[in-house]
Amino acid sequence: MENNSKQIEQKYNKWIWVLSIAIPIVVAILFGVNLQKLGYDVKPLSFLPPIYATINGITAVLLFIAVVAIKKGNAKLHERLIKVCIACSIAFLAMYVAYHMTSIETKYGGEGIIRYVYFFILITHILLSIIIIPFVLITFVRGISGSYQRHKKIARITYPMWLYVAVTGVIVYLMISPYYVS
C-alpha cells in the first residue's frame, strides 16, 4: 500500500511544483495589471472584498472543523471539508485578482503602532499565502493517495500555516476596509 501511495504522489509531484511556482507568478503579473489604468472602461468590483474576506473566514472555520473531524475518526467528512477549503481558496484568489485588476489600489490610512501591526500582518499573510501552496497540495495528495502517516506529518505544519493565512486575510480586510473608496 505504501509503495502504491508513493507512486501516486510521484505522479502528482510535477504538477504540485508547477502550480506552486506558476500561481504566485501569474497572480503577481495579474495583480500588476489594472484595467482602469490601461484605459478600459470597467467598473471596479468593489463588492468583492467583503465576499473574499468572508470566504477566508469560512475557510478558517472549515479547516478547524476538518481537524476536529479527523481527530474523531471521520475521515470522509475531513476529506470533504478539505476539498471545500481548497475550493474556497481558489475562489478567494480569483476574486482577489479580479478586484485588483479593476480597482485603484487602496492605501492603508492607519497611523502609529497600528500601521506597523497592519503591515506585519499583511506581509506575513502574503508570504505564507505563497509558501502554503505546495504544503496544501502535498498534504492533499498524501491524504488522497492513502499515505496517512506522511499526510499527518506534513499536515501538522500545513494546518497552522493555512489557518494563519485564512484568519489574517480577514484581519487585513477589517483593518483596511475603512479606507476603501466607494
Side-chain angles (χ1 to χ4, degrees):
M1 177 69 173
E2 187 67 32
N3 215 11
N4 189 33
S5 296
K6 284 191 180 185
Q7 288 176 336
I8 293 169
E9 286 179 49
Q10 287 175 345
K11 180 177 139 184
Y12 288 104
N13 276 344
K14 180 175 78 172
W15 286 110
I16 289 169
W17 292 111
V18 165
L19 289 171
S20 297
I21 294 167
I23 290 170
I25 290 171
V26 170
V27 169
I29 291 168
L30 292 176
F31 196 82
V33 173
N34 186 287
L35 298 176
Q36 285 185 3
K37 288 181 182 178
L38 292 175
Y40 291 96
D41 186 24
V42 294
K43 282 191 153 204
L45 300 174
S46 55
F47 63 92
L48 286 178
I51 295 171
Y52 61 67
T54 301
I55 288 174
N56 264 332
I58 291 168
T59 302
V61 170
L62 293 179
L63 281 170
F64 179 77
I65 295 170
V67 169
V68 170
I70 200 63
K71 287 184 179 198
K72 290 185 174 185
N74 193 339
K76 201 64 178 164
L77 177 60
H78 172 78
E79 181 181 337
R80 287 180 182 144
L81 289 169
I82 293 301
K83 286 177 180 177
V84 172
C85 288
I86 291 171
C88 284
S89 293
I90 292 167
F92 161 82
L93 193 55
M95 285 186 254
Y96 182 78
V97 169
Y99 170 76
H100 284 282
M101 288 182 71
T102 61
S103 304
I104 301 302
E105 179 184 2
T106 301
K107 302 277 188 196
Y108 181 70
E111 297 177 2
I113 190 75
I114 197 70
R115 183 172 185 79
Y116 295 106
V117 170
Y118 170 78
F119 282 109
F120 174 80
I121 293 170
L122 177 64
I123 291 166
T124 58
H125 169 80
I126 291 169
L127 290 174
L128 282 177
S129 71
I130 295 166
I131 293 167
I132 195 65
I133 296 168
F135 279 89
V136 168
L137 296 174
I138 291 166
T139 305
F140 181 72
V141 167
R142 286 181 181 178
I144 62 169
S145 70
S147 185
Y148 300 122
Q149 289 299 358
R150 293 170 39 119
H151 167 81
K152 187 176 179 180
K153 188 175 181 180
I154 195 169
R156 288 186 174 137
I157 300 166
T158 304
Y159 170 66
M161 277 198 302
W162 196 359
L163 187 62
Y164 180 86
V165 169
V167 170
T168 56
V170 176
I171 293 169
V172 165
Y173 166 75
L174 292 173
M175 291 181 80
I176 200 166
S177 64
Y179 306 102
Y180 283 125
V181 177
S182 301

